[in-house]
Amino acid sequence: MKKTIITVVGNDTVGIIAKVCTYLADNNVNILDISQTIVQGYFNMMMIVDLSGTEKPFADISKELAQIGEEIGVDIKCQRE
């Protein structure tokens, strides 16, 4: 199992979880655990995912998620367990 931690932080808007989860599903990344909260309008989500089902390297996943974050106005970071 190749566990990775994904964090998403920024202003709360509609569709943040949907965009991130759709990308992960499209790339065969399994979500093992997820926690999200909104504090005074700021969205914060942490996910633990398993990358062993995807053929994409960690660097590509990280870069593409960061690009999605830019598109929707949040900061998305990936780090290996």
Side-chain angles (χ1 to χ4, degrees), residues 1-6 23-34 47-58 61 65 78-81:
M1 190 176 306
K2 295 193 257 184
K3 287 186 183 177
T4 297
I5 299 167
I6 299 172
Y23 172 84
L24 295 175
D26 288 346
N27 287 281
N28 296 318
V29 176
N30 188 33
I31 299 169
L32 301 173
D33 200 357
I34 184 171
M47 309 170 91
I48 299 174
V49 301
D50 178 11
L51 297 182
S52 60
T54 187
E55 294 185 13
K56 285 190 180 180
F58 171 84
I61 297 282
L65 280 170
C78 297
Q79 63 186 35
R80 293 189 174 126
E81 181 184 41

Side-chain angles (χ1 to χ4, degrees), residues 11-39:
N11 288 322
D12 186 33
T13 57
V14 173
I16 296 171
I17 296 172
K19 282 270 194 186
V20 174
C21 290
T22 298
Y23 172 84
L24 295 175
D26 288 346
N27 287 281
N28 296 318
V29 176
N30 188 33
I31 299 169
L32 301 173
D33 200 357
I34 184 171
S35 171
Q36 70 92 32
T37 187
I38 299 167
V39 178

